[in-house]
Structures are given as C-alpha cells and as structure tokens.
Amino acid sequence: MASNLPIPLPPRTPTPPPDDPPSAPSNSSRLDAQDKDSLSPLVDSFPPQRGSLNTADPNRLSPTRASFTLSPSDNVPQNSQGDNGSAGPFNFKTTTMAKSPVVKSNIGQRRGHKYKHSSISHQIFLEPPPRAPLALPNSLPIPTFKECRTSMSKDQKTRFWWSVCHMFVAAYTLWSAHGSLAMTALSHLILFDSLGALLCVSVDVLSNFEVWKRSSVRHPFGLERAEVLAGFAMCVLLLFMGMDLISHNLQHFLESSGHEPHHSHAHERVSVGSVDVTALLAISSTLISAIGLKNHGRIGKAMRFGYIESLPSVLSNPSHFLTLSCSTLLLLLPLVSVRLYNWLDVLLSSTISISMCVIGVRLVKTLGSMLLMSYSGPGVKDVIRDIEADPCVFGVDDARFWQVHYGLCMANLKLRVSGSEENLIRLRERISSLIRNRLGGGYGSGGQRWEVSLQFTIEKS
C-alpha cells in the first residue's frame, strides 16, 4: 500500500526577481492579453455588495476565498484593491532589492550608547546627589593699575606722592654724600624706608578691593600674602646693600693702608659749626613716614627685637631706630675735628652696614618662614607645657602653629582628654584664650589674630 502512494515533489526554490525590471508592455499587447469578460457584469468577478450578501452560502466567510473581508473596504471597488495588491487578509507588496549597499549618514550625530538614558543603566548608574554650592567663590577679579588709580582716595593720593618724595630724598642724600661713607650708608637706609612707605600705600590702595581680604578657592587667604612676598624682596635688597657697604669699607681701608686706589675719594665734609641739611632731611622724612604712613609697622611687629621694644613706638622699630640714630650722629660730626671726623665716619659706616646685614638676615628668616607657612615667634613651648599641665589632658598628640601673613596665625592641636562634656567645653575655651593671650598679645593689643582648632580624642578613665 505504501508503494502505491505518489512521491511528493520537492518544494520549489523561489526565484529572486531579476535585476533589471521588466519592460512595460505596449498598449496593444496589454489590450490583447486582457480578458474580455473581466469587466462583464455577468461574470462573478465583483465582490458582492453589502446589501446583497448570500447568507445561505456556508463558505461566505471562508478565509480561502478572495472575497473574505469584514472591513468597510467591502465597498471599495476592485481597481483600488488592485493598486494595493491582491485582495485578502495578507496584503503583501513585491519590493526590489537595491544593488548598491545602503549607506547610513550619521554626520553631526553623537556616536556611542548613552548609558545614562538606557533602561538597564537606571539600576546601575545613579544620579549623584545634588551638592550645595560652595561658600567660597572660585576666584575674584584682581584689580588693574587703572582700577587702583581710580579707587584711590584723596588721603591715599597724598600718601603716594609723599612716598615718591621720600625716594627723592634718598637720591639727594646719595648725591650729596661727597665721598662720606656714613652718608652713603644713610642714603641706603632712606631708600629702604622709601620702598617701605610705597609698599604701605600700595597695601592701603589694594585693601579697597574685595580680593584683598576675602578668601576664594584660588586665593584661600586673599592677596594679603603678596605683602609678605614684597617685604621679603625688600629684606633681601637690604641685606645686599649692607654687604655692598661692607665691601666698600674694606676697599677704603685697603686704600688708606698704602695701596693705590682705583679711583680717588674726595672726602669733603660740612664746615665746622654748620648744620648738615641732608641729615635734617633724613630725620624729617623718616619721622613723617613712620608717624603718617605707619612705615614698617607690620615688619617691626614680625621681627620682635627685645632690646628696643621698651622704647617709644617710632624707635621700637629697628629700621626707624637705625635711620634716626645714624642721622643724629651725622648732625654731630661737624662739631669734631677733621681727623676724628674721618675715623668716626668709617666707624659709623661700618656699624650701619653690619646692622643692615643683621636686620636683613633676621627679616629674611622671619618672612621666609611666614611664606613657608610656619611660625617662628617665641612662646610656643610654654603654651604646650601649660596645656599638658591641665588635669583633663592626657597628652598632646600633635600641635601645629603657623603664620599666614602679618595679621593672621593659626594653631591646630590634637589632644587626648577625659571628662564630662561641660569640662571639655571649658577646656576648649581655656586653650583658645591661652593661645591668643600668650602668642597674640591679648585682646586689644593690636597683635596677630589667632584662629584655634582643637580635636579631642576621649580616653576612657
């Protein structure tokens, strides 16, 4: 029985459409090939109307028939169905494959997958929590020279022109030295004082702007540290001027001992019994700059010379003390004889040059440590000893004292303590007041401002 069954034919492989589209037939052949009875009303090629459906036909709704449809398209004529394809539930269209590859244009589009907006990444890449804005600005505008000039008040302009006049006094003192070593040394001191007066005026003008004192991310302590840098440069200049005077004195000593001088020194002096006008100009200009401009005021507080601290405010500054004492002695030199004048001139010049080197070295050390964020003042060991003596303190793990600029110092301490909360609050206040009184000079003394931060590690007793 099985051998009598017909052998099924293998499925036919569909033939792909030709590359070249078939040419459209001519009108005559199209009319010949068209069925004559295709438009005849007697032929059942039209779909039945909705009102004349044959309800008795059991295959009326069969999907195998071409007339199967339940949509309102039953009223659409046959020619519209021919445009959209064959009538039926599946209306396919024949498409022709393109011979050239499809090129996708993505010019101006962003490549890559946006992980942030993918459905899976919502569970992996979470949005960061919103941060509060920084209390400090990133940076503040630095004033230009034109802005500084327009912001100067009348008093600041007067002080500026006085500092320029102070420089002219230094130049006149050097010009009128007449080979006197002491007068040459005095001109160097007046030049240093005039530069300090100009620096004081510049600081006063820059304090008109917000960037000078307000902190920012770029300048955490404002621009006040620029004053420390300028003072450091002035101190280096003072040190080199002192060394130059020492070499000049040695050269003069060798010339007076019998060696031939490279150039002659005509040591002319003021006539006996007369007043040296140059010395009077030096004294008056120094006093005006010291009292009116507070010249070298912050530098004098940073140096802390113990030998002259008990003197009045002007003389307690080592730079003013050196300039005024030298000018006063030059006023007295015309009262002595010529031979004694030469010895006193050399001795006074040597003393001034050595003092300039000593003050320069002391200032370079003090301001250099300030630029390196360290504190070089006295009293730190005594403060730590008093803190360790407190009964609530077990020990001091770390203590850092450092100075930012002339008016701000900071103290950071890490302590091991024990006691109740009230005792710890009282201990915090006591340590802060101890540091401010010992190192800052106390309230109202005009010393440095101290900011104290304490970290307590509570020990179990």
Side-chain angles (χ1 to χ4, degrees), residues 344-412:
L344 289 177
D345 183 75
V346 175
L347 179 62
L348 183 59
S349 176
S350 302
T351 305
I352 293 175
S353 59
I354 294 174
S355 301
M356 290 172 65
C357 291
V358 172
I359 295 175
V361 170
R362 182 73 175 271
L363 281 174
V364 166
K365 182 180 178 181
T366 303
L367 299 183
S369 62
M370 197 180 301
L371 289 174
L372 295 176
M373 290 290 193
S374 63
Y375 180 73
S376 59
V380 176
K381 294 182 179 180
D382 297 336
V383 169
I384 295 178
R385 189 183 303 112
D386 292 342
I387 293 174
E388 291 177 342
D390 194 278
C392 296
V393 178
F394 279 93
V396 179
D397 293 339
D398 192 8
R400 301 294 177 90
F401 297 85
W402 45 294
Q403 188 171 1
V404 180
H405 47 77
Y406 293 118
L408 178 61
C409 299
M410 304 188 73
N412 303 325

Side-chain angles (χ1 to χ4, degrees), residues 226-237:
E227 183 184 3
V228 182
L229 184 60
F232 181 81
M234 287 174 49
C235 298
V236 172
L237 178 63

Side-chain angles (χ1 to χ4, degrees), residues 4 46 86 121 133 139 218 231 281 362 367 389 393 428 430 443:
N4 296 331
F46 288 143
S86 60
S121 62
S139 61
R218 186 173 183 179
L281 283 176
R362 182 73 175 271
L367 299 183
V393 178
R428 188 182 298 272
R430 178 181 177 274
Y443 178 78

Side-chain angles (χ1 to χ4, degrees), residues 392 394-395 397 415-419 456-461:
C392 296
F394 279 93
D397 293 339
L415 310 176
R416 289 181 286 107
V417 298
S418 65
F456 289 164
T457 303
I458 301 177
E459 298 284 342
K460 295 182 179 180
S461 56

Side-chain angles (χ1 to χ4, degrees), residues 71-268:
S71 61
S73 60
D74 295 337
N75 299 329
V76 179
Q78 184 69 24
N79 54 1
S80 64
Q81 291 182 1
D83 295 338
N84 297 332
S86 60
F90 305 102
N91 193 8
F92 297 105
K93 293 182 179 180
T94 303
T95 58
T96 304
M97 300 293 294
K99 298 177 65 177
S100 59
V102 178
V103 179
K104 181 181 179 181
S105 176
N106 55 359
I107 299 176
Q109 299 179 1
R110 182 179 177 183
R111 296 184 179 182
H113 182 69
K114 298 180 180 179
Y115 294 99
K116 179 180 177 182
H117 302 286
S118 63
S119 59
I120 301 177
S121 62
H122 283 300
Q123 304 176 2
I124 303 175
F125 302 97
L126 301 178
E127 290 285 344
R131 294 183 178 180
L134 294 177
L136 299 178
N138 291 331
S139 61
L140 293 173
I142 298 177
T144 60
F145 179 76
K146 184 179 180 180
E147 293 174 349
C148 292
R149 187 181 59 185
T150 54
S151 67
M152 292 175 64
S153 62
K154 184 178 180 180
D155 180 61
Q156 291 173 350
K157 291 180 180 179
T158 304
R159 297 169 66 184
F160 171 75
W161 288 114
W162 167 248
S163 62
V164 175
C165 294
H166 202 165
M167 290 185 179
F168 279 108
V169 172
Y172 175 76
T173 306
L174 181 61
W175 177 76
S176 63
H178 300 299
S180 175
L181 296 177
M183 191 63 71
T184 305
L186 180 62
S187 65
H188 288 68
L189 286 176
I190 298 175
L191 177 61
F192 177 72
D193 291 341
S194 63
L195 291 176
L198 182 62
L199 178 61
C200 291
V201 176
S202 302
V203 169
D204 194 13
V205 172
L206 287 174
S207 61
N208 297 334
F209 299 92
E210 190 180 15
V211 70
W212 182 253
K213 289 187 177 181
R214 186 180 176 184
S215 301
S216 61
V217 177
R218 186 173 183 179
H219 303 285
F221 305 101
L223 288 182
E224 291 191 67
R225 282 177 60 83
E227 183 184 3
V228 182
L229 184 60
F232 181 81
M234 287 174 49
C235 298
V236 172
L237 178 63
L238 179 66
L239 179 61
F240 276 103
M241 287 191 301
M243 292 181 178
D244 179 69
L245 288 174
I246 290 176
S247 64
H248 198 68
N249 291 331
L250 291 177
Q251 182 182 358
H252 176 75
F253 175 75
L254 293 176
E255 290 174 358
S256 62
S257 62
H259 295 79
E260 287 189 13
H262 295 284
H263 53 276
S264 60
H265 290 276
H267 292 278
E268 301 178 5

